[in-house]
Amino acid sequence: MIVRFFKSGISRGEAPINYLLGSTNHQGDRRIEAPEVLEGIPELTVDLINGIQRKHKYASGCLAFRAEDQCTREELHNIINKFKSVVAPGLSPDSINSLFVLHREPPDKKTGLAGFHIHFILPMVQLDGVNAGKRWNPHPPGKESIEIMSLFTSTTNHEMDWKQVQPNPLRVNIDSFWKKTAGQSINRKADLLKHELEIGVSSGQLKDRDQLCSFIANDLGLTITRKGNDYLSVKFPGTSKAIRLKGPLFEQVTNYERLAAPNSQKNRSV
């Protein structure tokens, strides 16, 4: 199991909720099972988000589980409760609103086991007491928040006797990527994104276009608006128009292993 926070949170509440409860995933493929609300009331979460007048309205992300990370429904709810206590230390359950939605993944062809992930939406506002209406950030920027989530992940995997997750080199400097793109023109952002993806392919971390799309959407938190045979259209948070990415890196038929071969000895990393 691993925790991921997305770079999102400035849209109206309908956008993330419609995706979480929709019948297709971020790549436009139909889900194998309908999403299941594990905790929360979607309509209430939407209303709370839309009632926040600040730019950053909510935090979102997912708890991702591998196929071998099997557990009971009671254990799953215990993990959710522990997660909430970590992101909202000192706050009572009634002080925050949260929505947790289960998405199942296709079964592994060898084992027959299916992985799954639980998306969460956390409106960034306190609901009761003297701080009612004040801002609350479950995942403040900085090294400390990253370390806290890493500790929560390691502790949970240890308690559940699950294999520890090895850090993905592509995720190490995602914050650095966002710092580089801050305040840049849309064309400059596109160049920086291409460079980041080229590193992922040349280092062997991204092995095909599906993995590349997953990294763009799930790790970087960008929105893929359209996929063509020879291009991807991607939208950055807070922008009204998508950018079209073209070239061998984004073509459906590209063999990423061959594409990476000329650079394979450079040992490049993010």
Side-chain angles (χ1 to χ4, degrees):
M1 188 276 293
I2 191 171
V3 181
R4 293 175 177 172
F5 274 85
F6 303 147
K7 291 287 184 179
S8 59
I10 61 176
S11 69
R12 287 181 59 83
E14 289 85 355
I17 303 302
N18 288 343
Y19 167 72
L20 293 193
L21 302 181
S23 59
T24 57
N25 61 19
H26 66 277
Q27 296 179 353
D29 301 324
R30 180 166 288 277
R31 303 188 194 278
I32 61 170
E33 290 186 23
E36 178 186 350
V37 176
L38 294 178
E39 182 178 305
I41 303 173
E43 295 80 7
L44 176 58
T45 299
V46 169
D47 289 343
L48 287 170
I49 292 174
N50 291 344
I52 298 174
Q53 302 303 313
R54 297 178 290 271
K55 178 180 178 180
H56 297 281
K57 305 176 187 300
Y58 62 90
S60 66
C62 73
L63 311 176
F65 300 79
R66 291 166 295 197
E68 58 267 30
D69 295 346
Q70 298 296 309
C71 61
T72 66
R73 185 56 60 95
E74 181 181 0
E75 289 171 332
L76 201 57
H77 280 287
N78 286 338
I79 292 173
I80 290 174
N81 289 334
K82 289 180 181 178
F83 172 73
K84 290 194 298 181
S85 69
V86 169
V87 298
L91 297 180
S92 68
D94 294 333
S95 296
I96 63 171
N97 174 261
S98 58
L99 178 68
F100 291 85
V101 179
L102 173 67
H103 288 174
R104 296 194 179 277
E105 300 167 2
D108 182 87
K109 294 181 179 179
K110 293 182 179 180
T111 65
L113 299 174
F116 59 96
H117 52 277
I118 301 173
H119 281 271
F120 56 82
I121 302 288
L122 304 168
M124 298 171 67
V125 61
Q126 295 189 47
L127 302 180
D128 65 358
V130 296
N131 292 320
K134 290 187 177 181
R135 185 175 184 269
W136 160 67
N137 190 348
H139 190 62
K143 184 178 179 180
E144 183 177 353
S145 291
I146 296 174
E147 291 177 345
I148 289 173
M149 283 300 102
S150 177
L151 182 59
F152 167 75
T153 298
S154 299
T155 302
T156 301
N157 287 328
H158 176 73
E159 292 175 347
M160 297 298 297
D161 198 24
W162 291 337
K163 186 178 179 180
Q164 293 292 344
V165 177
Q166 298 301 317
N168 184 340
L170 284 177
R171 293 191 53 81
V172 173
N173 280 338
I174 285 180
D175 284 346
S176 176
F177 167 75
W178 284 102
K179 289 178 181 178
K180 293 176 184 177
T181 59
Q184 300 290 339
S185 67
I186 192 66
N187 289 333
R188 178 58 179 158
K189 288 181 178 180
D191 290 339
L192 291 169
L193 175 59
K194 289 178 182 178
H195 177 67
E196 203 77 11
L197 298 175
E198 287 169 355
I199 292 174
V201 172
S202 65
S203 64
Q205 295 295 320
L206 301 176
K207 302 182 184 303
D208 54 42
R209 197 169 83 152
D210 285 343
Q211 288 189 7
L212 181 130
C213 289
S214 178
F215 178 70
I216 291 173
N218 292 334
D219 294 272
L220 293 179
L222 305 180
T223 301
I224 298 177
T225 60
R226 185 171 296 179
K227 294 192 295 183
N229 291 332
D230 61 348
Y231 72 89
L232 292 176
S233 291
V234 177
K235 187 165 69 172
F236 276 75
T239 60
S240 58
K241 294 183 178 180
I243 54 176
R244 179 165 289 193
L245 306 173
K246 300 194 70 174
L249 191 66
F250 308 102
E251 294 176 1
Q252 190 171 13
V253 297
T254 295
N255 184 313
Y256 278 41
E257 185 175 350
R258 290 180 182 176
L259 192 66
N263 300 318
S264 61
Q265 300 303 317
K266 292 184 179 181
N267 296 318
R268 299 169 67 193
S269 62
V270 177

